[in-house]
Amino acid sequence: MEQALMTLSQYHGAPAVTILLSTHRTHPDNKQDPINLKKLVAEAETRLYDTFDKREVWPVLDKIKAAELDINHDYNLDSLTIFANHDSVQVVKLPVPATDRVVISDRFEVRPLLKALQQQEHYYILTIARQKIRLLEAYNDTLVREIHNDDFPFSNEYYTKDPMKLQQDAIVDDLLKEYFNVADKQFKKYYHENPLPVVLLGDTKSIAYYQEQMDIKNIVMATAAGSYDDTSSHEILKVTFPLVQQHMADKQTAALSAIGEAQSRQRLLVDLGDIYRAAEAGAADTLYLEKTYFHNGTIEDGTITESDQPGAEDVSLNIIDSVLQKGGKVVFMDENTLNTYQGIALVTRFS
């Protein structure tokens, strides 16, 4: 998803079409998803023909309609996004909610991807034990699913019954690490389909060994010691959700601390025009904005003018694109956390 974000954020050229659809994970609710998507595709078609020459519209529409037919709605997440231009189309299913809408501009609406990458309330749980490993998916304190198939629960077949070998810690540890290594490769399939942060539960030694074997680093947001081989999902979530809440609170606190420190060092910009010019100049280190932040307007000669006219674009997209393209970071904050700064603030690389 990170690569898709970078590629899409770097594209400039009209028409760039973004279709955002709120979707459903389960039957029968997901039966309405293709119907709602068809309405959005029809809206995109009308707006494209109203704005562009037919020869510019046809290649884009052909790609959108082909992608629409290929989507399997039995495996939807919380939202679905179609990105299309003359040359390509990309469909991304996301674990974050979205409002149904069509965005036609000279750049793609990449915020859903950014929010999905930073989504912490939606997460995996791996219970690490020497006999079996369980994989669960949760949202806040609610179980989305526990995987029950040929992959998980993953039983340990990497052991020895040889009494001599059992007395040799190095052999036992190597077998345990091999077991964790194979289990992690099983888990990676799920992570690549839907990249979410991970909570690890198990005894301290097993958790440490499992983390050593993980191919994808820096995705574990919390761990907890204990035995969860046969613990109910309800009891597991009573353990994990407070950990997730604390992790999210810590990230918000760290972000506000970074903003305050930047302000004391005169490296903080809060005026939207100043933020835009700094981003364009490559001076942006980290852009912080609330998840619900929008600012409709126009940009001309480096000046942002607010506008409530139909078709006015959200100028924060331009800022986000510039920050990402020039190596900066974008961090979404909870609603009302940046009230002091009117919802957006930029830490610069230098004062």
Side-chain angles (χ1 to χ4, degrees):
M1 193 183 297
E2 291 92 339
Q3 186 57 51
L5 171 62
M6 292 306 299
T7 301
L8 292 165
S9 67
Q10 290 169 6
Y11 179 79
H12 285 246
V17 181
T18 307
I19 298 175
L20 295 126
L21 173 72
S22 176
T23 55
H24 304 82
R25 291 173 175 264
T26 57
H27 182 84
D29 292 338
N30 60 10
K31 279 190 165 293
Q32 64 186 285
D33 295 343
I35 298 170
N36 293 338
L37 178 58
K38 188 173 292 293
K39 292 177 182 177
L40 290 173
V41 171
E43 178 189 337
E45 181 173 8
T46 300
R47 289 174 55 186
L48 283 166
Y49 279 128
D50 285 346
T51 308
F52 299 95
D53 183 86
K54 290 181 180 179
R55 288 171 295 181
E56 294 181 281
V57 171
W58 288 337
V60 183
L61 271 181
D62 286 347
K63 290 178 174 61
I64 291 173
K65 291 182 177 181
E68 179 188 5
L69 292 174
D70 284 342
I71 295 169
N72 185 343
H73 291 279
D74 289 337
Y75 298 98
N76 281 344
L77 299 176
D78 299 308
S79 61
L80 179 152
T81 308
I82 299 177
F83 302 97
N85 58 23
H86 291 107
D87 304 313
S88 64
V89 64
Q90 188 165 354
V91 178
V92 183
K93 295 180 179 181
L94 299 170
V96 292
T99 301
D100 291 3
R101 65 188 189 278
V102 175
V103 180
I104 300 175
S105 180
D106 62 350
R107 66 189 68 218
F108 294 115
E109 164 63 284
V110 296
R111 266 177 306 199
L113 291 181
L114 279 165
K115 291 176 183 178
L117 285 170
Q118 296 177 33
Q119 181 64 271
Q120 301 300 324
E121 299 93 339
H122 192 182
Y123 56 100
Y124 292 119
I125 304 164
L126 282 165
T127 67
I128 310 301
R130 296 177 182 232
Q131 290 74 40
K132 68 178 180 181
I133 295 174
R134 298 166 62 186
L135 173 61
L136 302 87
E137 181 183 342
Y139 191 92
N140 289 332
D141 59 350
T142 302
L143 179 73
V144 175
R145 59 175 175 162
E146 179 170 358
I147 306 301
H148 287 283
N149 55 25
D150 292 340
D151 297 327
F152 290 96
F154 185 75
S155 298
N156 187 1
E157 298 178 359
Y158 300 84
Y159 57 87
T160 179
K161 294 181 180 180
D162 187 325
M164 297 296 292
K165 290 182 178 179
L166 285 170
Q167 295 177 26
Q168 301 179 52
D169 290 343
I171 292 178
V172 174
D173 285 353
D174 285 346
L175 288 169
L176 189 62
K177 290 177 181 179
E178 178 65 15
Y179 159 56
F180 289 154
N181 179 271
V182 176
D184 181 59
K185 286 178 168 48
Q186 297 284 83
F187 166 67
K188 274 201 310 183
K189 295 188 297 185
Y190 296 86
Y191 183 84
H192 285 312
E193 288 174 4
N194 189 14
L196 300 170
V198 180
V199 176
L200 298 180
L201 305 179
D203 69 79
T204 304
K205 185 176 181 179
S206 293
I207 287 176
Y209 277 6
Y210 187 87
Q211 287 188 276
E212 286 177 12
Q213 301 306 312
M214 293 181 76
D215 288 338
I216 307 172
K217 305 299 184 183
N218 304 316
I219 60 174
V220 176
M221 64 173 168
T223 64
S227 175
Y228 300 92
D229 283 20
D230 301 305
T231 306
S232 71
S233 58
H234 176 71
E235 292 299 317
I236 286 176
L237 290 169
K238 285 171 67 174
V239 174
T240 59
F241 186 50
L243 299 175
V244 173
Q245 287 180 306
Q246 186 59 54
H247 178 79
M248 292 187 292
D250 290 346
K251 288 191 70 174
Q252 295 277 322
T253 300
L256 291 172
S257 177
I259 291 170
E261 183 178 349
Q263 191 167 25
S264 68
R265 295 186 178 186
Q266 297 185 321
R267 290 177 51 206
L268 188 72
L269 300 176
V270 296
D271 176 79
L272 197 59
D274 292 340
I275 290 173
Y276 170 75
R277 287 184 285 273
E280 287 290 299
D285 179 270
T286 306
L287 175 69
Y288 297 91
L289 69 165
E290 293 180 0
K291 294 177 181 178
T292 54
Y293 182 85
F294 287 87
H295 190 100
N296 289 337
T298 59
I299 302 174
E300 189 172 348
D301 297 329
T303 300
I304 295 176
T305 303
E306 189 170 354
S307 172
D308 57 2
Q309 294 300 311
E313 65 175 338
D314 176 13
V315 296
S316 67
L317 286 178
N318 302 63
I319 297 172
I320 289 171
D321 286 350
S322 293
V323 171
L324 292 173
Q325 288 175 31
K326 295 176 172 63
K329 297 179 295 233
V330 177
V331 175
F332 284 96
M333 305 283 285
D334 287 341
E335 193 172 0
N336 299 322
T337 53
L338 297 177
N339 282 346
T340 304
Y341 311 105
Q342 288 74 54
I344 188 169
L346 178 73
V347 175
T348 62
R349 292 195 168 107
F350 36 79
S351 55

